[in-house]
Amino acid sequence: MDLGLGGKTAVVTAASGGLGAAVAEVLAAEGARVVLSARDPEKLARAVAGIAERTGGDIHGVVADMVDAPAIERMVADADARFGGIDMAIANSGGAATAPFAEMTDDDWRAAMEVKLLAQIRLARAAFNRMTARGKGGRIVFVAGTHGRQPHAHAVTAGFCNAALQNVSKALAEDGGPHGILCNVVNPGPFATDRMVYLAERKGRDDGIAYRDAVAALTAETVLKRYGEPEELAWAVAFLVSDRARFITGAMLDVDGGQVKAL
């Protein structure tokens, strides 16, 4: 299926590895021009070179820390100037640190909001403003997470931030509708990324169990009894930003192997 992404421009944050890199690569394979951002210059350069080699796409990297609002504004402005407009913004960010609830300080909660919640809002705001000024519509996708719908004690900060992003996405869909800007959220469940290594280690410490048992418990939450592969989330994002999904906005899509049981 041709998703109609050829010649369009996407911005993907936190894209030097994991889910962000997978999204960037799938969009590039579909013909999109992709601007990647990440904090680490060396990792970002490797990601850009690898994606360009594998897809033959027009790939550009911008070093930017998502907790730095001016850096995000500069990155979006660079993408806009380089490619003549932004069509798609995929707001991805690193996961929030977590600990047992009683141990979390106010500073811990603030740090979680900076890295997971406000970081994605910054990209969405910068992209939304440029999309409305351009007047050709656009797509914004938040990469939140299933813990926003199915809370876990071992990921309480992530759940809090994810739930907020899900709320923001709904509101932004209403705001963007008159401008042809569609906004949706994808909720990854357990995926084979560094984030799941961290969460499994954290669960092992909190529950007093071995790492392998923590992994077994996390995968057992899914219907498919496994971690997802990053490209499995990326294809869902590619569909949501495509013309094939032009009547989908304000939606939440759980990409989680059946982890979430609530309706």
Side-chain angles (χ1 to χ4, degrees):
M1 178 188 296
D2 181 5
L3 295 179
L5 301 183
K8 293 187 177 180
T9 299
V11 173
V12 186
T13 50
S16 61
L19 298 178
V23 169
E25 183 157 341
V26 166
L27 295 181
E30 286 294 305
R33 301 170 298 201
V34 184
V35 176
L36 289 69
S37 79
R39 293 176 299 176
D40 187 317
E42 293 184 359
K43 287 183 66 177
L44 179 61
R46 288 196 296 271
V48 168
I51 294 171
E53 180 180 0
R54 289 187 293 272
T55 66
D58 193 350
I59 315 299
H60 180 59
V62 177
V63 177
D65 189 335
M66 291 190 70
V67 304
D68 182 352
I72 293 301
E73 290 284 350
R74 289 192 298 271
M75 182 266 293
V76 171
D78 180 83
D80 195 19
R82 178 176 295 269
F83 294 119
I86 297 170
D87 302 290
M88 302 164 277
I90 292 79
N92 180 49
S93 57
T98 192
F101 176 80
E103 298 176 13
M104 298 287 292
T105 67
D106 285 358
D107 286 342
D108 292 330
W109 284 99
R110 292 189 188 99
M113 287 189 285
E114 276 290 333
V115 75
K116 179 67 176 180
L117 173 58
L118 292 175
Q120 295 201 28
I121 288 173
R122 290 182 184 108
L123 174 67
R125 179 177 59 213
F128 185 84
N129 288 339
R130 289 187 176 272
M131 288 174 179
T132 53
R134 187 183 181 207
K136 294 184 178 181
R139 304 285 192 272
I140 296 173
V141 175
F142 291 100
V143 181
T146 53
H147 290 145
R149 303 215 311 119
Q150 186 160 292
H152 269 286
H154 67 265
V156 62
T157 53
F160 164 75
C161 293
N162 291 340
L165 286 172
Q166 290 158 3
N167 187 286
V168 170
S169 177
K170 283 281 190 182
L172 189 54
E174 183 176 351
D175 209 10
H179 305 283
I181 300 171
L182 311 186
C183 184
N184 295 291
V185 59
V186 293
N187 294 319
F191 274 80
T193 63
D194 291 343
R195 173 66 176 173
M196 287 310 301
V197 172
Y198 166 76
L199 288 178
E201 289 175 343
R202 180 80 253 182
K203 180 175 177 60
R205 289 194 297 272
D206 291 349
D207 295 354
I209 59 177
Y211 174 79
R212 65 178 180 277
D213 295 327
V215 171
L218 290 170
T219 55
E221 293 177 359
T222 72
V223 172
L224 301 181
K225 310 304 179 188
R226 67 173 176 88
Y227 283 159
E229 295 298 328
E231 63 268 20
E232 293 174 312
L233 180 91
W235 281 112
V237 173
F239 171 71
L240 285 175
V241 299
S242 76
D243 290 338
R244 305 291 183 178
R246 59 184 176 270
F247 198 59
I248 301 175
T249 193
M252 290 196 298
L253 176 60
D254 296 332
V255 188
D256 65 347
Q259 178 193 42
V260 173
K261 304 303 189 292
L263 296 177

